[in-house]
Amino acid sequence: MLEIKNLHVKLEEEDKVILRGVDLKIGAGEVHAIMGPNGSGKSTLSYVLSGRDGYEVTAGSATLDGAELLEMEPEDRAAAGLFLAFQYPVEIPGVGNMTFLRTAVNAQKKSRGEPEVSAADFLKLVREKAKTLKIDAEMLKRPVNVGFSGGEKKRNEILQMAMLEPRMCILDETDSGLDVDAMKLVSDGVNALRSEGRSFLVITHYQRLLDHIKPDVVHIMAAGRIIKTGGPELALEVENNGYADILNEVG
Amino acid sequence: MTMLETVDGTEVREGVDRETIETVQAMAGKYKYGWETEIEMDYAPKGLSEDIVRLISKKNNEPEWLLDWRLAAYQRWVKLEEPRWAMLNYPEIDYQDQFYYATPKSMAKKPKSLDEVDPKLLATYAKLGIPLKEQMLLAGVEGDAEPRKVAVDAVFDSVSVGTTFKAELAKAGVIFCSISEAVREHPDLVKQYLGSVVPPSDNFFATLNSAVFSDGSFVYIPKGTRCPMELSTYFRINAENTGQFERTLIVCDEGAYVSYLEGCTAPKRDTNQLHAAVVEIVILKDAEVKYSTVQNWYPGDENGVGGIYNFVTKRADCRGDRAKVMWTQVETGSAITWKYPSCILRGDDSQGEFYSIAIANNAQQADTGTKMVHLGKRTKSRIVSKGISAGRAQNTYRGLVSMHPKAKDSRNYTQCDSLLIGDKCGAHTVPYIEVRNNSSRVEHEATTSKVDDDQLFYCRSRGMDEEEAVALVVNGFCKEVLQALPMEFAMEAQSLVAISLEGSVG
Ligand SMILES: Nc1ncnc2c1ncn2[C@@H]1O[C@H](COP(=O)(O)OP(=O)(O)OP(=O)(O)O)[C@@H](O)[C@H]1O
Ligand SMILES: [Mg+2]
């Protein structure tokens, strides 16, 4: 599914190197987690994969089912099946949440040459999915993320993911800011989407989330590199001992 | 942010924007109305003179008083200088190098009904999406149970081609016809009100219009009548090198209500064409008028070649107590826009509102805003202006709020937001505020921002292309104004926002 090779990234405007050779391979249907200290480059990795401006790839590649992502426009990456649940979802004043969702869904359908969904079908589908995430009708009408609480924003990201049905989902700290119940809702939402053809990259600081969304593989990222890869037990180790041991071990 | 609740009588239409994108996508391609109708025309000789004024008056079979009125305006106009205070840069207009009257030959003998109108003209409006058959209704919004009826007066170059639903309106006592017909059929009303809001001496372009206006619409809503349907005028410029000078007069009698829509388009040409209209609205005691415009004249090409020069004087006079007016405008077209729809709040407790979206892209220039003149006690006004500049365009909001000594306890709230797309365009805000009593309050808020990269990236990461993302974000920015529009127009306006911003990014 997703294959990242020797990815080096620096800031476009400054001489600051953030990713220093990231290698990562996620197979179809797998769930991988990335943990790592603040500032280690996790969000940067997710942004670079989805095509945000401001970064310069100095070496390496990232392919989705063999297609080079790094050369595509952000919208083409989305249409190819990549989705990023933002660490900090963006507010868009004046644009109804529902309008936004429908525009996004239809834009992707259009670029894949599929017919658009009718207004009625769309409405039905959104309501269904919103209900399972406890997003009420009121929130669907409100402008995208404007005045949403932290937890509401995160649930809204998962709603978008559920509607867009991407194949490669990146969740950047979707658990932070969630209360216990919301964490359960979001995890259930994610688990409902798990399937053979869909893979996840879950960025998190907490083992808690990984109790709900069981990862196949856990990576530790530090200073722009993946320094250790293991099974779910690696997350427990971090939870109990922090990063110090792992960092020392790798040197 | 403080709002004037009482002024805010606008119905908020839920879900207006829900259909945005479908429409946006359906309307791919740049200026959609740039085609031309090939039709045989009669022109008055080129240039402007007393003879031309007489000829226009004669063509319209006008009474002596109106000819004299025109001639007086003409005499005044020749002595006037074109105003140049607006933030607009354009070459000198040669007023002798254009036609002042152009009418399809087939209109020489006035058609008695729409059935007699030249099929080519009917086809033109059909192609523009304007229904001239009464059984055809303006496309309703999806989910809207019943498409609403909208009566249309269709003006083609210098003449009105026809007006729909006249009979049905007449049953309610509503007069809706071309102004040339009103001069003949309802001379007393016309004589009483014509020039009473915008006198021929008002300004250079209004004076010119008073001399040479050829047609336009007339509306009279009798006392206590709620107009049974929306009224609209659709202006089409077709003839080359011809100015369009229309005049609209709306009289809303005591306790009456009408919502009026105005639309306009013109073919793509590489020469500029002049449009100088006057709209006068008289609103008596307890009456209310909503006037909505979607201005989509040809804007010129990416390099600023061609396009309409749009110099328009629009004013509403709230003559009676508790009279209300609401102007809503979506200005996307024209190479040059010079337009300040105004409210004279004369009656006590009268209210004026102005909602505006002005988009200037490429080499377009817009200098637009409003005047709120508070004369009566406890009068209220509200201004919401959204200016969007892209390309190399210059966009100026110019607005006057004036509280006269007798306008005790009056209120104004102004919100003026500018959005810049790219770094070669400009946005300017020029507010004039005069408060001449100490019990009135004026509030002014202004913001200028750049279209936000994070918002665009967020949209694109969900699959929208850059132009779609910009259209969505800009439509969000304009939301308050779009909501003030009647449903039919809101749809059109949203897609126009997208179209007029094409090529503004990337
Ligand atoms: N646009 C930018 N300008 C300046 N510095 C940046 C920019 N983007 C990223 N950085 C820096 O790059 C480093 C990696 O940031 P990133 O957001 O990827 O970390 P992270 O691993 O997601 O951290 P956290 O766990 O706190 O979310 C940080 O030092 C950050 O300050
Ligand atoms: Mg981060």
Side-chain angles (χ1 to χ4, degrees), chain B residues 317-335:
Chain B
D317 188 351
C318 289
R319 234 164 249 191
D321 292 350
R322 295 170 301 280
K324 269 191 196 175
V325 62
M326 175 168 143
W327 295 103
T328 309
Q329 61 171 25
V330 179
E331 302 284 317
T332 61
S334 297

Side-chain angles (χ1 to χ4, degrees), chain B residues 40-143:
Chain B
E40 275 193 81
M41 298 291 288
D42 267 332
Y43 291 91
K46 215 179 209 179
L48 183 51
S49 64
E50 209 176 288
D51 287 344
I52 293 292
V53 175
R54 286 178 190 280
L55 181 125
I56 294 169
S57 183
K58 189 154 171 251
K59 289 262 184 201
N60 285 343
N61 278 324
E62 285 172 359
E64 193 73 21
W65 69 264
L66 189 51
L67 173 63
D68 292 342
W69 194 82
R70 285 175 180 278
L71 288 172
Y74 175 73
Q75 293 308 341
R76 173 181 279 273
W77 181 77
V78 289
K79 293 186 207 102
L80 290 178
E81 292 229 7
E82 195 182 308
R84 283 288 181 165
W85 43 258
M87 215 176 280
L88 299 170
N89 201 342
Y90 56 95
E92 187 117 7
I93 299 171
D94 184 350
Y95 290 91
Q96 297 305 337
D97 189 29
Q98 58 178 326
F99 296 101
Y100 284 79
Y101 190 82
T103 168
K105 280 212 163 99
S106 57
M107 292 295 295
K109 203 170 143 265
K110 293 249 156 24
K112 280 193 204 64
S113 74
L114 278 163
D115 298 335
E116 291 177 17
V117 169
D118 187 342
K120 269 193 183 166
L121 289 171
L122 295 179
T124 299
Y125 287 91
K127 195 169 168 187
L128 291 168
I130 306 304
L132 287 190
K133 292 251 165 66
E134 298 191 358
Q135 61 270 35
M136 293 195 327
L137 306 170
L138 272 188
V141 179
E142 211 180 317

Side-chain angles (χ1 to χ4, degrees), chain A residues 38-39 41-44 46-47 87-88 172-173 203 205:
Chain A
N38 293 132
K42 304 178 298 296
S43 292
T44 303
S46 66
Y47 282 143
Q87 182 175 3
Y88 305 106
D172 190 358
E173 292 197 29
I203 299 171
H205 286 295

